[in-house]
Amino acid sequence: MPQSWSVTGRQFLRRGAFLRPGNPFQSLKPVLWTQPLTPWQLQCIQELSSHRLQRMPVQYILGEWDFQGLSLKMAPPVFIPRPETEELVEWVLEEVAQRPRVIGTQGGPLILEVGCGSGAISLSLLSHLPQSQVIAVDKGEAAICLTRENAQRLRLQDRIRIIPLDVTLEGSWAHLLPWGPVDLVVSNPPYVFSQDIEQLAPEIRSYEDPAALDGGEEGMDIIAHILALAPRLLKDSGSVFLEVDPRHPELVGSWLRSRPDLSLDLVAVRKDFCGRPRFLHIRRSEAQHGCPADT
Ligand SMILES: C[S@@+](CC[C@H](N)C(=O)[O-])C[C@H]1O[C@@H](n2cnc3c(N)ncnc32)[C@H](O)[C@@H]1O
């Protein structure tokens, strides 16, 4: 996998003055339509094209990608944020707006994101919720570094704690609460069924971290860990929002029914823009006090 190259697509387009600052690709200056390319420009185009011919995702070639109006740095092998995840963020923001008394009574909600990747979810939530604070965890070192860099680029670093952490490790939950229990846990976890990994596009299989994708036999490995930890992490009637595979609403529902000790209810399922059930809202029952494993 090529990890470094002399120039990213975005740098090339800016340095070569192809784009007006801050404008999208459509802003290509008309005067350039007929101007021959310089040798340097030709070399850059050849280099960038060769990456694409090796099936490198365009987001890695450009070195930047937009998510919820934020421009985020992208670098392999950190997971590239997908458009449907913007819908997860929008759902969380809707819930926060509709239930301000329940979620984050004082200031904005305190949010934990499990598996932050490039920081897309955490940073877009912070940019929309100026009173909120976020704890973002990921087990991947490259993901932690990229979230840190993106938080600084967006000047959101003062409201985010970025913690390298594997949520499947025993006792990990204690590190997840630097500010005490949270109002919301949000995650786009690895949820691809192991047997489906082979069918993913070469762009995904060759360049993105397999740990960001493979959720085990039924795609439930990390989901189950997050849900098992949730009662220790959440305030009373706090919520978990998850992005999942269309088969997961059924699987997660029956998994939760098999774990009544967790006092978690699947309260809503939302479809993505293709009409597939992809997002779950799971709420901690208000009646619960203390954690099952503590008693
Ligand atoms: C599907 S990616 C989501 C990244 C980002 N939230 C997004 O939506 O673009 C899943 C992320 O979970 C992280 N991850 C996988 N297993 C984990 C674990 N056991 N503990 C913490 N993070 C984990 C991966 O490193 C990856 O960054």
Side-chain angles (χ1 to χ4, degrees):
M1 179 193 303
Q3 293 260 347
S4 65
W5 51 94
S6 54
V7 67
T8 67
R10 179 64 66 153
Q11 283 166 343
F12 164 67
L13 290 164
R14 281 192 182 143
R15 265 201 257 155
F18 283 102
L19 298 181
R20 296 187 185 103
N23 281 1
F25 293 102
Q26 289 84 340
S27 70
L28 195 65
K29 294 174 188 169
V31 67
L32 296 169
W33 294 353
T34 52
Q35 195 171 299
L37 294 171
T38 66
W40 178 80
Q41 287 167 339
L42 256 179
Q43 194 197 326
C44 286
I45 287 177
Q46 274 162 0
E47 206 180 323
L48 297 168
S49 306
S50 87
H51 292 309
R52 187 65 198 112
L53 287 169
Q54 291 164 47
R55 307 294 294 259
M56 178 182 269
V58 74
Q59 292 88 341
Y60 290 152
I61 296 174
L62 290 173
E64 280 180 4
W65 201 244
D66 285 357
F67 183 89
Q68 281 275 317
L70 302 180
S71 178
L72 298 168
K73 182 179 171 182
M74 296 286 119
V78 180
F79 186 84
I80 297 163
R82 307 298 204 262
E84 56 266 43
T85 307
E86 300 193 62
E87 296 182 276
L88 176 71
V89 170
E90 279 156 22
W91 195 15
V92 173
L93 292 173
E94 275 172 36
E95 284 295 316
V96 171
Q98 280 167 16
R99 305 193 317 124
R101 284 175 192 282
V102 180
I103 299 175
T105 40
Q106 284 172 357
L110 181 56
I111 301 167
L112 166 68
E113 186 193 358
V114 176
C116 54
S118 62
I121 295 176
S122 289
L123 297 172
S124 55
L125 287 172
L126 280 178
S127 76
H128 283 99
L129 301 169
Q131 306 293 321
S132 274
Q133 291 182 301
V134 169
I135 303 132
V137 306
D138 203 293
K139 76 170 187 181
E141 198 188 330
I144 289 293
C145 292
L146 196 55
T147 296
R148 279 211 183 104
E149 204 176 328
N150 279 324
Q152 272 159 7
R153 277 162 61 111
L154 297 165
R155 298 178 202 279
L156 292 167
Q157 72 274 14
D158 294 343
R159 291 189 289 126
I160 186 168
R161 284 282 282 271
I162 302 162
I163 304 176
L165 187 115
D166 182 338
V167 290
T168 65
L169 295 182
E170 199 62 37
S172 63
W173 65 276
H175 303 280
L176 295 168
L177 302 174
W179 295 313
V182 299
D183 298 289
L184 301 171
V185 174
V186 183
S187 185
N188 170 20
Y191 58 72
V192 179
F193 288 40
S194 295
Q195 72 267 24
D196 295 344
I197 293 281
E198 276 303 301
Q199 277 125 53
L200 296 174
E203 280 81 353
I204 301 174
R205 272 188 289 121
S206 308
Y207 291 93
E208 290 188 300
D209 183 359
L213 304 162
D214 193 340
E217 197 181 341
E218 291 194 312
M220 286 280 294
D221 288 3
I222 304 300
I223 295 173
H225 271 96
I226 294 171
L227 295 177
L229 285 174
R232 300 164 191 252
L233 306 176
L234 289 171
K235 293 180 187 168
D236 283 351
S237 64
S239 289
V240 181
F241 287 87
L242 295 176
E243 179 177 322
V244 294
D245 180 272
R247 291 163 283 184
H248 281 137
E250 186 92 29
L251 287 169
V252 170
S254 80
W255 190 89
L256 287 174
R257 285 191 293 280
S258 75
R259 293 293 309 268
D261 56 310
L262 297 177
S263 300
L264 294 173
D265 301 316
L266 176 55
V267 292
V269 178
R270 192 175 266 208
K271 292 181 177 162
D272 67 10
F273 52 75
C274 297
R276 298 170 302 176
R278 296 290 308 286
F279 310 108
L280 306 180
H281 179 183
I282 294 153
R283 197 180 296 147
R284 184 179 176 186
S285 313
E286 291 186 40
Q288 182 185 340
H289 295 289
C291 297
D294 293 337
T295 54

